[in-house]
Amino acid sequence: DFSPDSPMTRQLLLQSKHTSIKRDNQEKKIIERPTNSPHFSELFREVHQFCRTTASVTNVLSLLASIENNSSEFNFRSQEVNWQCSASSFCCRLSTCYSMYEDITIPI
């Protein structure tokens, strides 16, 4: 039934309106980046590299185990300082190199 006022056309019009509203809401979420900003793929790669290395579950649990086992004070402290320096430098790099992506980097 292709009459102008059939249940099918009303349903399609309703779906169209709902889709338009949804699209408009999504468009409000778009963030424009300056043209000279680094590509998002670079940020993505660096964050994942950090998560695979310094912030990996294995690495963090190893650091925690050395705390719990009361390993030598010097060894533990040097590991802790090294981890904190690595994490801190990564955060500084995010805030300087990827400042255009604050909406992503600040929650990290």
Side-chain angles (χ1 to χ4, degrees):
D1 183 17
F2 290 105
S3 66
D5 192 28
S6 69
M8 181 63 101
T9 57
R10 285 191 297 271
Q11 181 183 359
L12 288 173
L13 285 172
L14 185 63
Q15 284 178 344
S16 172
K17 183 178 179 181
H18 176 70
T19 303
S20 293
I21 292 170
K22 190 173 181 179
R23 185 192 67 225
D24 291 343
N25 286 337
Q26 292 297 322
E27 284 179 351
K28 291 176 187 175
K29 297 177 184 179
I30 293 174
I31 298 175
E32 295 292 327
R33 312 275 183 210
T35 56
N36 64 345
S37 63
H39 292 285
F40 176 78
S41 60
E42 295 173 30
L43 171 62
F44 183 84
R45 182 185 48 78
E46 287 197 37
V47 168
H48 280 271
Q49 177 65 23
F50 178 75
C51 290
R52 280 192 304 272
T53 56
T54 305
S56 72
V57 172
T58 305
N59 196 1
V60 173
L61 289 177
S62 169
L63 188 59
L64 181 62
S66 67
I67 293 169
E68 291 173 345
N69 295 334
N70 294 323
S71 60
S72 72
E73 183 73 22
F74 175 75
N75 186 28
F76 161 67
R77 290 286 176 215
S78 65
Q79 287 177 345
E80 177 191 10
V81 167
N82 184 31
W83 192 91
Q84 287 183 5
C85 287
S86 297
S88 179
S89 69
F90 176 72
C91 291
C92 286
R93 178 162 172 74
L94 287 181
S95 64
T96 56
C97 296
Y98 298 102
S99 61
M100 296 88 172
Y101 292 97
E102 284 183 338
D103 56 310
I104 297 169
T105 59
I106 288 177
I108 293 175

